[in-house]
Amino acid sequence: MAKHFEIIPSLLCKSKKEFLTKLKRIEPYVKRAQFDIMDNVFVPNKTVQPKEFKGLKAKINIECQLMVKNPADYLLDCCRMNAKLFIFHYESYKNAKKIISFINQIRAHKMQAGIAIKPATPAIKIKQFLKLVDMVLVMTVQPGFGGQKLLPSTLKKVKQLRQWAPKLDIEVDGGINKDTAQLAVKAGANLLVAGNAIHKAKTVPEGLAAIKRNI
Ligand code: DX5
C-alpha cells in the first residue's frame, strides 16, 4: 500500500476572492489543497487562473490540476504561485513522446509531476508513465463541476493502477464523501480530493471527520 493517506480539499473557484476565502478556511486543518484550473475548452467551465496568484504564500502545499487544452501554457504561472505539484491530463497530449518531455519540463520548473485520466480513459493508457510521475489522479466524475455523484466504474481503474504500482500515490477526485470514501480506499486510493463534502460542511473539521469516519 502507498506510504500515506490524505484528504485534500479542492479549490474550484470563479474569483481570486473565493479562492483566498476558501484557502483561509481550510489552512488550519489540512496539509495540502488542490487548485482546479479550467479553460472552458478542455471542460465546459472556466475558473480563476493561476496568474492571479503570483508569489502566493500559502500555509499549505498547493497542487494544481490542469483541466486545460494546453497545460504547457500554465507551467510558469503555477511555478510562480509556488505550486508543489503540477497534474496534467493524459487526454491533453496523448502522445507518449510529448508526455515524457512534458514531465521533464514540469520538473525543470521545480514542481512534482502527476498525470490524470478522465472517466472514459482506460488505465492502460498511462501504464508506461507510472515510473516517471510522482502520482496519478483518477477522475471519479466527469471533470468540470463539483457536487456530482461518483462513477463506480472508475474505481476499477484505481484497483488496476494499485496492482501495477503498489507504492505510488493514487488520488481520486469527484463525488468523495462519507459514503464513497471507503470504496475509493478499498480500491487502492490513498489521496482523496473532496469539494462539497468539505466546503458545504458546517465546519472543516466536521467535514473531514465525516469523510474519515467509515474508512
Ligand atoms: C471537478 C473537480 C473536483 C471537484 C470536486 O472537475 O476537479 O475537484 O471540485 O468536488 P466534489 O467533491 O463536490 O465532487
Side-chain angles (χ1 to χ4, degrees), residues 140-185:
T140 40
V141 296
Q142 292 302 343
F145 302 92
Q148 300 178 72
K149 260 181 150 317
L150 181 138
L151 299 166
S153 58
T154 60
L155 296 180
K156 291 192 193 108
K157 297 193 283 181
V158 174
K159 206 169 176 192
Q160 178 64 82
L161 288 161
R162 180 52 72 215
Q163 277 161 11
W164 290 333
K167 291 205 170 80
L168 188 65
D169 278 337
I170 300 181
E171 188 172 89
V172 288
D173 178 16
I176 295 295
N177 57 37
K178 63 179 175 43
D179 303 316
T180 57
Q182 56 189 308
L183 303 175
V185 171

Tab-separated table of all heavy atoms in Angstrom, residues 140-185:
chain	number	residue	atom	x	y	z
A	140	THR	N	-13.029	10.614	-10.716
A	140	THR	CA	-14.154	9.716	-10.429
A	140	THR	C	-15.495	10.334	-10.825
A	140	THR	O	-16.557	9.774	-10.541
A	140	THR	CB	-14.127	9.330	-8.926
A	140	THR	OG1	-13.779	10.465	-8.138
A	140	THR	CG2	-13.102	8.236	-8.671
A	141	VAL	N	-15.440	11.536	-11.444
A	141	VAL	CA	-16.580	12.178	-12.101
A	141	VAL	C	-16.067	12.801	-13.383
A	141	VAL	O	-14.853	12.942	-13.562
A	141	VAL	CB	-17.201	13.301	-11.230
A	141	VAL	CG1	-17.784	12.767	-9.944
A	141	VAL	CG2	-16.219	14.440	-10.994
A	142	GLN	N	-16.997	13.227	-14.274
A	142	GLN	CA	-16.589	13.983	-15.459
A	142	GLN	C	-16.020	15.312	-14.984
A	142	GLN	O	-16.705	16.052	-14.260
A	142	GLN	CB	-17.798	14.246	-16.377
A	142	GLN	CG	-18.381	13.030	-17.042
A	142	GLN	CD	-17.353	12.279	-17.890
A	142	GLN	OE1	-16.289	12.823	-18.242
A	142	GLN	NE2	-17.619	11.016	-18.163
A	143	PRO	N	-14.772	15.631	-15.330
A	143	PRO	CA	-14.204	16.887	-14.835
A	143	PRO	C	-14.985	18.103	-15.308
A	143	PRO	O	-15.541	18.091	-16.398
A	143	PRO	CB	-12.784	16.896	-15.410
A	143	PRO	CG	-12.768	15.901	-16.494
A	143	PRO	CD	-13.839	14.902	-16.170
A	144	GLY	N	-15.058	19.135	-14.434
A	144	GLY	CA	-15.718	20.377	-14.825
A	144	GLY	C	-16.554	21.002	-13.743
A	144	GLY	O	-16.636	22.231	-13.661
A	145	PHE	N	-17.152	20.179	-12.869
A	145	PHE	CA	-18.044	20.726	-11.840
A	145	PHE	C	-17.964	19.936	-10.539
A	145	PHE	O	-17.713	18.721	-10.565
A	145	PHE	CB	-19.490	20.704	-12.348
A	145	PHE	CG	-19.660	21.489	-13.615
A	145	PHE	CD1	-19.546	20.865	-14.851
A	145	PHE	CD2	-19.874	22.851	-13.571
A	145	PHE	CE1	-19.661	21.587	-16.025
A	145	PHE	CE2	-19.990	23.589	-14.739
A	145	PHE	CZ	-19.874	22.960	-15.975
A	146	GLY	N	-18.224	20.621	-9.411
A	146	GLY	CA	-18.304	19.945	-8.124
A	146	GLY	C	-19.719	19.411	-7.918
A	146	GLY	O	-20.602	19.663	-8.735
A	147	GLY	N	-19.926	18.635	-6.838
A	147	GLY	CA	-21.271	18.208	-6.469
A	147	GLY	C	-21.851	17.075	-7.303
A	147	GLY	O	-23.057	16.824	-7.239
A	148	GLN	N	-21.018	16.394	-8.091
A	148	GLN	CA	-21.526	15.276	-8.895
A	148	GLN	C	-21.420	13.960	-8.121
A	148	GLN	O	-20.699	13.873	-7.133
A	148	GLN	CB	-20.700	15.145	-10.187
A	148	GLN	CG	-20.712	16.347	-11.101
A	148	GLN	CD	-19.832	16.115	-12.319
A	148	GLN	OE1	-20.160	15.332	-13.214
A	148	GLN	NE2	-18.672	16.763	-12.343
A	149	LYS	N	-22.107	12.937	-8.636
A	149	LYS	CA	-22.064	11.606	-7.999
A	149	LYS	C	-20.870	10.815	-8.524
A	149	LYS	O	-20.611	10.815	-9.743
A	149	LYS	CB	-23.332	10.834	-8.364
A	149	LYS	CG	-24.405	10.843	-7.260
A	149	LYS	CD	-25.582	10.016	-7.775
A	149	LYS	CE	-26.368	9.309	-6.722
A	149	LYS	NZ	-25.663	8.644	-5.652
A	150	LEU	N	-20.158	10.137	-7.608
A	150	LEU	CA	-19.025	9.307	-8.014
A	150	LEU	C	-19.473	8.212	-8.983
A	150	LEU	O	-20.525	7.615	-8.792
A	150	LEU	CB	-18.374	8.686	-6.778
A	150	LEU	CG	-17.155	7.791	-6.990
A	150	LEU	CD1	-16.092	8.085	-5.941
A	150	LEU	CD2	-17.539	6.303	-6.959
A	151	LEU	N	-18.672	7.987	-10.042
A	151	LEU	CA	-18.959	6.932	-11.027
A	151	LEU	C	-18.258	5.645	-10.595
A	151	LEU	O	-17.020	5.553	-10.706
A	151	LEU	CB	-18.456	7.374	-12.406
A	151	LEU	CG	-19.078	8.652	-12.977
A	151	LEU	CD1	-18.280	9.165	-14.164
A	151	LEU	CD2	-20.541	8.415	-13.351
A	152	PRO	N	-18.997	4.623	-10.111
A	152	PRO	CA	-18.354	3.406	-9.554
A	152	PRO	C	-17.381	2.718	-10.526
A	152	PRO	O	-16.364	2.182	-10.087
A	152	PRO	CB	-19.558	2.504	-9.241
A	152	PRO	CG	-20.711	3.429	-9.103
A	152	PRO	CD	-20.450	4.569	-10.054
A	153	SER	N	-17.635	2.803	-11.831
A	153	SER	CA	-16.766	2.092	-12.804
A	153	SER	C	-15.327	2.621	-12.732
A	153	SER	O	-14.376	1.892	-13.032
A	153	SER	CB	-17.317	2.327	-14.216
A	153	SER	OG	-17.351	3.729	-14.452
A	154	THR	N	-15.155	3.867	-12.295
A	154	THR	CA	-13.800	4.437	-12.258
A	154	THR	C	-12.926	3.772	-11.202
A	154	THR	O	-11.696	3.791	-11.316
A	154	THR	CB	-13.869	5.952	-11.965
A	154	THR	OG1	-14.521	6.139	-10.694
A	154	THR	CG2	-14.632	6.710	-13.039
A	155	LEU	N	-13.581	3.155	-10.183
A	155	LEU	CA	-12.787	2.546	-9.099
A	155	LEU	C	-12.069	1.283	-9.567
A	155	LEU	O	-11.060	0.886	-8.988
A	155	LEU	CB	-13.676	2.280	-7.887
A	155	LEU	CG	-14.272	3.539	-7.231
A	155	LEU	CD1	-15.139	3.177	-6.040
A	155	LEU	CD2	-13.178	4.525	-6.830
A	156	LYS	N	-12.576	0.675	-10.658
A	156	LYS	CA	-11.878	-0.499	-11.218
A	156	LYS	C	-10.494	-0.080	-11.717
A	156	LYS	O	-9.515	-0.823	-11.622
A	156	LYS	CB	-12.673	-1.076	-12.396
A	156	LYS	CG	-13.971	-1.731	-11.975
A	156	LYS	CD	-14.569	-2.545	-13.136
A	156	LYS	CE	-16.012	-2.921	-12.784
A	156	LYS	NZ	-17.004	-2.143	-13.610
A	157	LYS	N	-10.398	1.146	-12.224
A	157	LYS	CA	-9.106	1.632	-12.730
A	157	LYS	C	-8.142	1.889	-11.564
A	157	LYS	O	-6.934	1.679	-11.680
A	157	LYS	CB	-9.307	2.911	-13.536
A	157	LYS	CG	-10.147	2.711	-14.779
A	157	LYS	CD	-10.052	3.912	-15.690
A	157	LYS	CE	-10.893	5.063	-15.194
A	157	LYS	NZ	-10.812	6.234	-16.115
A	158	VAL	N	-8.703	2.360	-10.431
A	158	VAL	CA	-7.861	2.569	-9.243
A	158	VAL	C	-7.247	1.234	-8.824
A	158	VAL	O	-6.046	1.142	-8.557
A	158	VAL	CB	-8.696	3.167	-8.079
A	158	VAL	CG1	-7.882	3.246	-6.800
A	158	VAL	CG2	-9.233	4.545	-8.463
A	159	LYS	N	-8.103	0.204	-8.818
A	159	LYS	CA	-7.646	-1.142	-8.415
A	159	LYS	C	-6.532	-1.620	-9.360
A	159	LYS	O	-5.493	-2.111	-8.910
A	159	LYS	CB	-8.843	-2.095	-8.494
A	159	LYS	CG	-8.739	-3.282	-7.582
A	159	LYS	CD	-10.068	-4.027	-7.503
A	159	LYS	CE	-9.835	-5.262	-6.650
A	159	LYS	NZ	-10.966	-6.169	-6.757
A	160	GLN	N	-6.749	-1.411	-10.653
A	160	GLN	CA	-5.766	-1.837	-11.651
A	160	GLN	C	-4.434	-1.100	-11.443
A	160	GLN	O	-3.373	-1.713	-11.423
A	160	GLN	CB	-6.298	-1.536	-13.050
A	160	GLN	CG	-5.348	-1.894	-14.171
A	160	GLN	CD	-5.105	-3.380	-14.229
A	160	GLN	OE1	-5.896	-4.125	-14.786
A	160	GLN	NE2	-3.992	-3.825	-13.628
A	161	LEU	N	-4.516	0.217	-11.271
A	161	LEU	CA	-3.296	1.017	-11.087
A	161	LEU	C	-2.564	0.621	-9.799
A	161	LEU	O	-1.325	0.563	-9.787
A	161	LEU	CB	-3.660	2.505	-11.063
A	161	LEU	CG	-4.071	3.089	-12.408
A	161	LEU	CD1	-4.832	4.392	-12.242
A	161	LEU	CD2	-2.847	3.305	-13.307
A	162	ARG	N	-3.317	0.314	-8.737
A	162	ARG	CA	-2.685	-0.084	-7.477
A	162	ARG	C	-1.914	-1.402	-7.659
A	162	ARG	O	-0.844	-1.596	-7.110
A	162	ARG	CB	-3.728	-0.212	-6.367
A	162	ARG	CG	-3.187	-0.608	-5.021
A	162	ARG	CD	-2.033	0.228	-4.503
A	162	ARG	NE	-2.392	1.567	-4.088
A	162	ARG	CZ	-1.596	2.631	-4.247
A	162	ARG	NH1	-0.441	2.494	-4.868
A	162	ARG	NH2	-1.981	3.816	-3.856
A	163	GLN	N	-2.474	-2.310	-8.492
A	163	GLN	CA	-1.772	-3.575	-8.754
A	163	GLN	C	-0.467	-3.304	-9.510
A	163	GLN	O	0.576	-3.871	-9.206
A	163	GLN	CB	-2.661	-4.515	-9.574
A	163	GLN	CG	-3.643	-5.294	-8.708
A	163	GLN	CD	-4.808	-5.859	-9.522
A	163	GLN	OE1	-4.781	-5.850	-10.780
A	163	GLN	NE2	-5.845	-6.326	-8.824
A	164	TRP	N	-0.508	-2.372	-10.474
A	164	TRP	CA	0.683	-2.088	-11.254
A	164	TRP	C	1.719	-1.289	-10.456
A	164	TRP	O	2.911	-1.386	-10.706
A	164	TRP	CB	0.329	-1.273	-12.513
A	164	TRP	CG	-0.428	-2.026	-13.546
A	164	TRP	CD1	-0.416	-3.382	-13.780
A	164	TRP	CD2	-1.339	-1.477	-14.497
A	164	TRP	NE1	-1.252	-3.689	-14.811
A	164	TRP	CE2	-1.835	-2.547	-15.286
A	164	TRP	CE3	-1.777	-0.184	-14.784
A	164	TRP	CZ2	-2.751	-2.363	-16.321
A	164	TRP	CZ3	-2.683	0.003	-15.828
A	164	TRP	CH2	-3.157	-1.076	-16.579
A	165	ALA	N	1.223	-0.463	-9.512
A	165	ALA	CA	2.147	0.441	-8.788
A	165	ALA	C	1.827	0.435	-7.296
A	165	ALA	O	1.151	1.350	-6.793
A	165	ALA	CB	2.036	1.848	-9.361
A	166	PRO	N	2.300	-0.591	-6.567
A	166	PRO	CA	1.942	-0.742	-5.151
A	166	PRO	C	2.324	0.444	-4.263
A	166	PRO	O	1.652	0.697	-3.261
A	166	PRO	CB	2.713	-2.003	-4.732
A	166	PRO	CG	2.993	-2.726	-5.982
A	166	PRO	CD	3.123	-1.687	-7.062
A	167	LYS	N	3.357	1.191	-4.628
A	167	LYS	CA	3.815	2.263	-3.720
A	167	LYS	C	3.442	3.666	-4.202
A	167	LYS	O	3.607	4.632	-3.466
A	167	LYS	CB	5.342	2.179	-3.564
A	167	LYS	CG	5.806	0.956	-2.800
A	167	LYS	CD	7.160	1.230	-2.151
A	167	LYS	CE	7.502	0.118	-1.188
A	167	LYS	NZ	8.028	-1.086	-1.880
A	168	LEU	N	2.933	3.786	-5.409
A	168	LEU	CA	2.671	5.107	-5.987
A	168	LEU	C	1.473	5.786	-5.328
A	168	LEU	O	0.501	5.119	-4.954
A	168	LEU	CB	2.403	4.953	-7.492
A	168	LEU	CG	2.285	6.212	-8.311
A	168	LEU	CD1	3.586	6.989	-8.354
A	168	LEU	CD2	1.823	5.878	-9.736
A	169	ASP	N	1.536	7.119	-5.169
A	169	ASP	CA	0.364	7.868	-4.686
A	169	ASP	C	-0.732	7.829	-5.747
A	169	ASP	O	-0.507	8.235	-6.884
A	169	ASP	CB	0.751	9.332	-4.413
A	169	ASP	CG	1.406	9.491	-3.048
A	169	ASP	OD1	1.174	8.638	-2.182
A	169	ASP	OD2	2.156	10.478	-2.863
A	170	ILE	N	-1.910	7.322	-5.363
A	170	ILE	CA	-3.058	7.287	-6.268
A	170	ILE	C	-4.149	8.168	-5.680
A	170	ILE	O	-4.604	7.947	-4.550
A	170	ILE	CB	-3.576	5.866	-6.495
A	170	ILE	CG1	-2.479	4.995	-7.117
A	170	ILE	CG2	-4.825	5.881	-7.373
A	170	ILE	CD1	-2.907	3.565	-7.402
A	171	GLU	N	-4.540	9.173	-6.437
A	171	GLU	CA	-5.517	10.162	-5.988
A	171	GLU	C	-6.826	9.970	-6.743
A	171	GLU	O	-6.811	9.608	-7.929
A	171	GLU	CB	-4.962	11.570	-6.244
A	171	GLU	CG	-5.760	12.718	-5.670
A	171	GLU	CD	-5.005	14.036	-5.813
A	171	GLU	OE1	-5.167	14.696	-6.864
A	171	GLU	OE2	-4.246	14.392	-4.895
A	172	VAL	N	-7.945	10.191	-6.046
A	172	VAL	CA	-9.248	10.213	-6.696
A	172	VAL	C	-9.886	11.567	-6.445
A	172	VAL	O	-9.610	12.218	-5.426
A	172	VAL	CB	-10.173	9.089	-6.170
A	172	VAL	CG1	-9.720	7.741	-6.677
A	172	VAL	CG2	-10.269	9.112	-4.655
A	173	ASP	N	-10.739	11.975	-7.393
A	173	ASP	CA	-11.331	13.305	-7.304
A	173	ASP	C	-12.713	13.318	-7.933
A	173	ASP	O	-12.861	12.990	-9.107
A	173	ASP	CB	-10.403	14.287	-8.044
A	173	ASP	CG	-10.923	15.713	-8.062
A	173	ASP	OD1	-11.823	16.017	-7.262
A	173	ASP	OD2	-10.422	16.512	-8.870
A	174	GLY	N	-13.731	13.697	-7.108
A	174	GLY	CA	-15.078	13.812	-7.628
A	174	GLY	C	-16.043	12.889	-6.908
A	174	GLY	O	-15.885	11.673	-6.910
A	175	GLY	N	-17.018	13.500	-6.184
A	175	GLY	CA	-18.040	12.696	-5.502
A	175	GLY	C	-17.541	11.972	-4.271
A	175	GLY	O	-18.153	10.983	-3.832
A	176	ILE	N	-16.410	12.443	-3.713
A	176	ILE	CA	-15.895	11.806	-2.489
A	176	ILE	C	-16.632	12.374	-1.284
A	176	ILE	O	-16.672	13.590	-1.092
A	176	ILE	CB	-14.370	12.024	-2.354
A	176	ILE	CG1	-13.609	11.322	-3.476
A	176	ILE	CG2	-13.874	11.555	-0.974
A	176	ILE	CD1	-13.704	9.796	-3.458
A	177	ASN	N	-17.227	11.464	-0.486
A	177	ASN	CA	-17.956	11.887	0.717
A	177	ASN	C	-17.938	10.741	1.739
A	177	ASN	O	-17.258	9.738	1.531
A	177	ASN	CB	-19.397	12.278	0.356
A	177	ASN	CG	-20.118	11.127	-0.339
A	177	ASN	OD1	-19.914	9.957	0.001
A	177	ASN	ND2	-20.922	11.453	-1.331
A	178	LYS	N	-18.759	10.862	2.792
A	178	LYS	CA	-18.701	9.878	3.896
A	178	LYS	C	-19.072	8.472	3.419
A	178	LYS	O	-18.658	7.496	4.029
A	178	LYS	CB	-19.615	10.323	5.045
A	178	LYS	CG	-21.085	10.399	4.691
A	178	LYS	CD	-21.905	10.823	5.894
A	178	LYS	CE	-23.373	11.022	5.564
A	178	LYS	NZ	-23.979	10.011	4.709
A	179	ASP	N	-19.822	8.359	2.328
A	179	ASP	CA	-20.231	7.035	1.837
A	179	ASP	C	-19.271	6.466	0.796
A	179	ASP	O	-19.039	5.263	0.744
A	179	ASP	CB	-21.638	7.128	1.218
A	179	ASP	CG	-22.638	7.672	2.234
A	179	ASP	OD1	-22.579	7.201	3.407
A	179	ASP	OD2	-23.396	8.603	1.888
A	180	THR	N	-18.686	7.331	-0.027
A	180	THR	CA	-17.863	6.824	-1.143
A	180	THR	C	-16.368	6.742	-0.796
A	180	THR	O	-15.629	6.015	-1.465
A	180	THR	CB	-18.020	7.754	-2.366
A	180	THR	OG1	-17.657	9.092	-1.970
A	180	THR	CG2	-19.440	7.737	-2.902
A	181	ALA	N	-15.934	7.463	0.230
A	181	ALA	CA	-14.502	7.480	0.577
A	181	ALA	C	-13.979	6.061	0.841
A	181	ALA	O	-12.930	5.679	0.322
A	181	ALA	CB	-14.273	8.365	1.803
A	182	GLN	N	-14.740	5.268	1.583
A	182	GLN	CA	-14.269	3.905	1.908
A	182	GLN	C	-14.155	3.036	0.659
A	182	GLN	O	-13.252	2.203	0.565
A	182	GLN	CB	-15.214	3.252	2.919
A	182	GLN	CG	-16.646	3.239	2.432
A	182	GLN	CD	-17.612	2.787	3.500
A	182	GLN	OE1	-17.417	1.747	4.096
A	182	GLN	NE2	-18.656	3.569	3.747
A	183	LEU	N	-15.033	3.242	-0.326
A	183	LEU	CA	-14.965	2.464	-1.572
A	183	LEU	C	-13.680	2.801	-2.327
A	183	LEU	O	-13.005	1.911	-2.870
A	183	LEU	CB	-16.171	2.781	-2.453
A	183	LEU	CG	-17.552	2.548	-1.847
A	183	LEU	CD1	-18.648	3.030	-2.800
A	183	LEU	CD2	-17.734	1.069	-1.495
A	184	ALA	N	-13.331	4.084	-2.330
A	184	ALA	CA	-12.118	4.518	-3.041
A	184	ALA	C	-10.862	3.966	-2.351
A	184	ALA	O	-9.936	3.503	-3.021
A	184	ALA	CB	-12.075	6.040	-3.077
A	185	VAL	N	-10.861	3.988	-1.013
A	185	VAL	CA	-9.701	3.474	-0.279
A	185	VAL	C	-9.580	1.959	-0.460
A	185	VAL	O	-8.493	1.436	-0.691
A	185	VAL	CB	-9.802	3.851	1.215
A	185	VAL	CG1	-8.733	3.141	2.043
A	185	VAL	CG2	-9.693	5.358	1.389
